Amino acid sequence: MKEFALIFRLKDISDFKPSPEQIQERLSWLGSIAAQNKLVDKGNTLLPAPGTAKTVKPDHIVTDGPYTEIKEFISGYIIVRAESIDEAVEMAKGNPIFKIGGNIEVREILKVN
């Protein structure tokens, strides 16, 4: 099996603070993947608040976060195990992030030993 990163993106910072119901939906979705033994890493949340991110550019130029350069921000990720990218996409389709206008980027991971 291959491993895939599911990278969660949001457009509005207000969506970053989910309601208790939204949290439960997300946990149920994650639990369904774990129940299939396809959850490799439950991932982490990436904070979108000012002062929590920096971008390092060529010539050692450092700017505050990615916020001025992108229209949406990465809010977190998980790692799943699947036979194909299509299977990983099917897993992603069940995530409730779509209800609040978010999206999920699915990327195959190249393991380097």
Side-chain angles (χ1 to χ4, degrees), residues 56-84:
V56 181
K57 299 179 179 184
D59 298 323
H60 305 285
I61 296 171
V62 179
T63 62
D64 287 333
Y67 316 116
T68 60
E69 292 125 18
I70 61 174
K71 294 181 181 170
E72 55 189 18
F73 65 92
I74 297 171
S75 62
Y77 68 93
I78 67 168
I79 309 293
V80 298
R81 182 179 303 113
E83 292 291 338
S84 67

Side-chain angles (χ1 to χ4, degrees), residues 4 82-93 106:
F4 297 87
E83 292 291 338
S84 67
I85 194 166
D86 293 330
E87 182 184 356
V89 165
E90 287 303 312
M91 285 184 222
K93 286 180 179 179
V106 179

Side-chain angles (χ1 to χ4, degrees), residues 14-113:
S14 66
D15 293 330
F16 185 74
K17 295 184 179 184
S19 70
E21 294 81 16
Q22 289 170 321
I23 291 171
Q24 188 55 51
E25 274 189 289
R26 291 176 190 177
L27 291 175
S28 294
W29 172 78
L30 196 60
S32 70
I33 294 171
Q36 298 173 55
N37 197 30
K38 294 188 176 188
L39 183 64
V40 175
D41 184 331
K42 66 178 179 70
N44 288 290
T45 298
L46 304 173
L47 296 174
T52 62
K54 300 279 184 183
T55 299
V56 181
K57 299 179 179 184
D59 298 323
H60 305 285
I61 296 171
V62 179
T63 62
D64 287 333
Y67 316 116
T68 60
E69 292 125 18
I70 61 174
K71 294 181 181 170
E72 55 189 18
F73 65 92
I74 297 171
S75 62
Y77 68 93
I78 67 168
I79 309 293
V80 298
R81 182 179 303 113
E83 292 291 338
S84 67
I85 194 166
D86 293 330
E87 182 184 356
V89 165
E90 287 303 312
M91 285 184 222
K93 286 180 179 179
N95 190 289
I97 197 170
F98 305 112
K99 293 178 182 178
I100 57 171
N103 64 71
I104 301 173
E105 179 180 344
V106 179
R107 301 280 302 268
E108 186 172 349
I109 296 172
L110 175 63
K111 301 274 252 180
V112 181
N113 293 329

